[in-house]
Amino acid sequence: MKFLDFFKTNISTRSMRDVAIDLGTANTVVYVKGEGIQVDEPTYVAINVKTEDVEFIGSKAKEIIGRTAKHTEIIRPLKNGVISNYEITEKMIEEFLGKLKKDKFNSARVIICVPSGVTQVERRAVVEVVKDAGAKDVYLIEEPVAAAIGVGIDLFEPKGHLIVDIGGGTTEIAFIVSGGPALSRSVKVAGDHLNDDIVEYIKDERNLLIGEKTAEELKINTISQDDPNKEYEIRGRELGVGLPKSMKIKASEIEGAIERHIDMIIDEVRITIEEIEPEVAADIYETGIYLSGGGATIRLLKERIEEELKLKVTVGDDAIHAVINGIAKVLDDFDDYKNVIISPTIEY
Ligand SMILES: Nc1ncnc2c1ncn2[C@@H]1O[C@H](COP(=O)(O)OP(=O)(O)OP(=O)(O)O)[C@@H](O)[C@H]1O
Ligand SMILES: [Mg+2]
């Protein structure tokens, strides 16, 4: 090899950074090859409505939700897995990626996930937003495929596997077989809808108004609780009276509040199974269902699937990071996974 070629190859690969991004409705995670997860923050941005400046991004913005001064607005720039506010998403990504050294990011190869079945316009928005933030080559991967790789499913086995990723805004259901997705469905019911269920339930049944953040904390604390009678204290404002109040609530009541949406998710899983080829359906009888995403540890979900669909349920290790771990693996073995990577050169 000529010196110049050698120089070019080595310099370009050395300065090239491989970056994986899981741009989620609830959380955004950034992984850098060789360095691990570098950013893991809520997808929330606090904006000063007077100056339009960004006040906080990530956990600091989420922390003050429901406790903002008049001049501050909290924006969640993604809705149901897709970008709903381009400008704010770009600012947020720029900020997150700015944490990686800028000079290196300029030449980065990025793989970012999108929910299955998003429109071309929505896909293009994701690619453009990352490019505008400074990336060179941007590749896409479907979120459930990344989740499947992340929970350890062998994509290349000629055997069917079923992955269900319960995120904040969408639940992704996908059959993976012989190297890629065979059938996938994206449902707009996920973890954040359960928070709303809890707020509604406590308002209707207990006459107490609670904030979104309190509802989420309550959900996370109760949802994998073994003892249904364990009590939790909640604080909010009493309806009608208007004054602050504290009361106790049992874990079982929270399960009751979220039941309707859990059943909806299970119905969608059932419908998807009904549509798959019989050979793959037969495989699922053996391999069962893999759960990933922030909602994977919901005990009620696992129990109901086992009871109603009579299938074995495996909750992925580090389920909330399954997608980012999957994309990281794809970065490591880029050529092996080329069939599931959506190249930036094709028409979106
Ligand atoms: N231990 C837990 N038990 C139940 N729910 C949880 C737990 N931890 C997180 N969650 C919920 O999981 C959701 C976030 O999960 P995740 O980070 O997978 O979503 P996301 O990838 O940002 O969203 P999406 O994939 O829908 O765009 C939130 O609704 C959060 O409340
Ligand atoms: Mg997700």
Side-chain angles (χ1 to χ4, degrees):
M1 192 193 283
K2 278 193 213 135
F3 176 71
L4 192 61
D5 290 340
F6 174 81
F7 181 78
K8 270 190 193 158
T9 319
N10 283 278
I11 294 299
S12 66
T13 46
R14 194 146 26 100
S15 61
M16 174 90 113
R17 268 191 159 187
D18 283 340
V19 176
I21 304 176
D22 174 6
L23 177 61
T25 315
N27 298 297
T28 298
V29 192
V30 179
Y31 163 97
V32 179
K33 188 171 172 179
E35 294 172 35
I37 290 177
Q38 300 295 304
V39 177
D40 189 354
E41 296 262 3
T43 313
Y44 288 67
V45 181
I47 296 284
N48 183 319
V49 287
K50 283 189 183 154
T51 61
E52 294 189 359
D53 289 338
V54 170
E55 287 188 331
F56 306 112
I57 280 182
S59 48
K60 272 198 180 157
K62 187 174 179 184
E63 221 169 81
I64 57 166
I65 204 160
R67 289 194 177 94
T68 51
K70 245 187 190 166
H71 66 271
T72 308
E73 188 189 350
I74 307 288
I75 297 183
R76 300 189 59 183
L78 268 88
K79 205 169 169 19
N80 296 326
V82 296
I83 297 171
S84 67
N85 186 328
Y86 189 92
E87 204 187 325
I88 302 289
T89 307
E90 192 193 331
K91 280 190 180 153
M92 185 191 74
I93 294 209
E94 246 174 31
E95 176 83 10
F96 287 157
L97 297 178
K99 291 184 178 171
L100 324 176
K101 279 191 203 93
K102 196 83 190 167
D103 54 324
K104 287 188 182 166
F105 185 69
N106 279 337
S107 60
R109 170 164 71 180
V110 176
I111 308 183
I112 182 163
C113 65
V114 283
S116 58
V118 296
T119 66
Q120 289 191 351
V121 174
E122 288 162 344
R123 281 183 183 198
R124 197 178 303 127
V126 171
V127 174
E128 292 305 322
V129 94
V130 184
K131 279 198 169 162
D132 285 348
K136 191 166 158 276
D137 296 323
V138 184
Y139 299 82
L140 296 174
I141 184 168
E142 285 190 20
E143 190 173 9
V145 175
I149 299 167
V151 297
I153 291 173
D154 178 0
L155 234 58
F156 305 104
E157 213 188 337
K159 187 168 257 176
H161 289 89
L162 178 55
I163 177 91
V164 178
D165 182 276
I166 310 103
T170 60
T171 293
E172 302 282 319
I173 305 163
F175 283 97
I176 309 288
V177 67
S178 307
L183 176 69
S184 48
R185 181 185 292 266
S186 177
V187 185
K188 293 181 175 64
V189 178
D192 293 350
H193 302 84
L194 307 181
N195 303 346
D196 300 341
D197 289 343
I198 295 172
V199 171
E200 279 299 303
Y201 174 86
I202 293 176
K203 189 174 104 204
D204 294 347
E205 302 295 322
R206 298 299 199 92
N207 221 27
L208 189 75
L209 277 180
I210 61 164
E212 193 184 317
K213 213 171 152 239
T214 303
E216 184 175 35
E217 280 166 13
L218 196 58
K219 176 185 75 176
I220 292 176
N221 287 333
T222 54
I223 228 152
S224 41
Q225 177 58 245
D226 287 331
D227 175 8
N229 290 318
K230 183 153 182 201
E231 288 190 320
Y232 295 82
E233 189 186 350
I234 40 167
R235 291 178 192 165
R237 182 154 51 86
E238 192 174 7
L239 264 170
V241 181
L243 294 175
K245 195 174 178 181
S246 151
M247 57 178 70
K248 293 229 160 74
I249 189 156
K250 282 185 184 163
S252 58
E253 279 188 73
I254 301 300
E255 282 206 340
I258 64 164
E259 211 167 14
R260 186 174 64 95
H261 274 136
I262 296 293
D263 286 344
M264 273 167 83
I265 293 173
I266 295 171
D267 279 346
E268 295 288 345
V269 174
R270 181 186 289 117
I271 294 167
T272 317
I273 297 175
E274 282 168 7
E275 285 172 10
I276 195 68
E277 299 292 330
E279 294 289 6
V280 182
D283 289 343
I284 304 303
Y285 185 74
E286 184 189 327
T287 55
I289 298 187
Y290 288 78
L291 299 182
S292 67
T297 48
I298 302 174
R299 201 169 42 98
L300 188 64
L301 182 69
K302 182 176 189 285
E303 282 176 7
R304 283 279 165 93
I305 294 178
E306 285 171 340
E307 194 181 298
E308 290 178 26
L309 306 182
K310 307 263 182 283
L311 290 169
K312 178 180 81 179
V313 175
T314 308
V315 177
D317 290 338
D318 195 15
I320 200 161
H321 289 132
V323 169
I324 198 75
N325 290 339
I327 314 177
K329 212 161 171 200
V330 172
L331 276 176
D332 287 342
D333 304 314
F334 200 79
D335 287 335
D336 291 347
Y337 289 106
K338 54 181 180 297
N339 285 336
V340 294
I341 300 167
I342 307 166
S343 153
T345 52
I346 64 153
E347 253 314 289
Y348 291 112

